[in-house]
Structures are given as structure tokens and as C-alpha cells.
Amino acid sequence: MTKVDIYTMCLVQNGDHVLLINRPSERGFPGYIGPGGKVDFPESPAEAAIREVFEETGLKVQKLIYKGLDEYVDPSKDYRYMVFNYIATSFQGELLQNPPEGELHWVPIEEAKHLPMQDWFKKRFPLFFNEGTFEVHVEWSEEKQAPVKELIQQL
């Protein structure tokens, strides 16, 4: 039976700025990243995105816009990892003083792509700001320790 893990990511946009977390290496996935995390059963991906943004930033987002799906599959392990991606331009609240995942920064969108980010997030980041939705599908080879197929498409 295929094991499936479901995650979310939700970028918060304020005009020409986006809220990013600068994660320290001890938290995993070091560098700048958007808020997100695991979808807890039985919540929906959108509910999880709203909860994760609040837990990690202190902001309450509304009117999420679905931007697309990332999925990573490893056939040798019969495993699928799915990330539902959203963007929110409507929010209220104040940023946490001591955020749990790393420092919070409002970054100009055009400058963000020059910040240190994980490669997978750097590839996905511009897709959040394009019209429509996207799909990222990566097939991983455990034997080669590398992707054997990578499809990134704007839908």
C-alpha cells in the first residue's frame, strides 16, 4: 500500500513583499522558506495552511488562493509526498516576537529569489506569483540518490 504524506505551504503577500521564514540549519531545510507543514487528519489542506501560518507567524490569513501541487514520489519505497501550495493577500494580526521556525522577514518579492533557499523552494517560488496554478512532479531514485524525472508545469 502506498504511503502518502500531505503537507501545505502558504506564502503571505503584502503588496510587493512576501513573508518568509529564515530557518536555522538545526530546524531542517535551512534558508528562507514559506510557512507550512503537515496536514493533520482529518483537516483539509486549506485548513492546515491557515493553521500553520498562524502557528509559525501569528497571522490569521483569509481568502487563500490555491496555487498548485508539488509531489515527490519514490517508487522503490512506494511513497508519495504531496504539498498543497497557497498564497494569501488578506490577513490580520501581528507577527510573533519569538517565532518557532526561525526569523520572520517581509522581503521584496524581486529580491527574495537572491536569498539562500533550498533548491526545491527556489524553483517553486516564482510560480506562486504567476497567473493560474502549477504542478511539480519529481520521481526520486533511491539507488541514484537523485531525481530521475522532474516535471514543472504551469497549468
Side-chain angles (χ1 to χ4, degrees), residues 39-76:
V39 176
D40 294 333
F41 188 82
E43 70 185 345
S44 75
E47 288 172 322
I50 291 166
R51 175 185 53 76
E52 287 286 347
V53 169
F54 181 71
E55 289 175 359
E56 295 181 3
T57 72
L59 298 181
K60 293 180 182 176
V61 292
Q62 302 103 20
K63 301 178 185 172
L64 298 188
I65 300 165
Y66 177 70
K67 292 307 297 179
L69 176 67
D70 267 284
E71 66 173 351
Y72 301 83
V73 297
D74 184 342
S76 71

Side-chain angles (χ1 to χ4, degrees), residues 4-136:
V4 179
D5 282 327
I6 302 174
Y7 287 80
T8 66
M9 180 171 285
C10 182
L11 296 187
V12 182
Q13 183 179 354
N14 188 6
D16 63 352
H17 285 66
V18 64
L19 182 61
L20 295 175
I21 301 167
N22 186 10
R23 283 176 66 122
S25 54
E26 63 267 15
R27 298 287 307 151
F29 299 115
Y32 286 82
I33 193 168
K38 192 162 179 47
V39 176
D40 294 333
F41 188 82
E43 70 185 345
S44 75
E47 288 172 322
I50 291 166
R51 175 185 53 76
E52 287 286 347
V53 169
F54 181 71
E55 289 175 359
E56 295 181 3
T57 72
L59 298 181
K60 293 180 182 176
V61 292
Q62 302 103 20
K63 301 178 185 172
L64 298 188
I65 300 165
Y66 177 70
K67 292 307 297 179
L69 176 67
D70 267 284
E71 66 173 351
Y72 301 83
V73 297
D74 184 342
S76 71
K77 293 183 176 176
D78 202 17
Y79 177 65
R80 182 179 302 265
Y81 177 102
M82 303 173 81
V83 182
F84 289 82
N85 297 281
Y86 301 90
I87 196 163
T89 57
S90 178
F91 59 90
Q92 53 186 285
E94 296 194 17
L95 295 179
L96 296 173
Q97 294 301 310
N98 295 299
E101 298 295 322
E103 299 171 355
L104 300 172
H105 298 277
W106 285 107
V107 179
I109 295 166
E110 286 303 310
E111 291 177 23
K113 57 189 166 195
H114 303 295
L115 295 172
M117 297 175 173
Q118 296 289 311
D119 287 342
W120 57 268
F121 184 57
K122 192 175 283 274
K123 284 181 189 175
R124 183 190 330 156
F125 181 79
L127 302 175
F128 281 89
F129 306 100
N130 292 344
E131 288 293 318
T133 57
F134 63 85
E135 180 180 84
V136 176

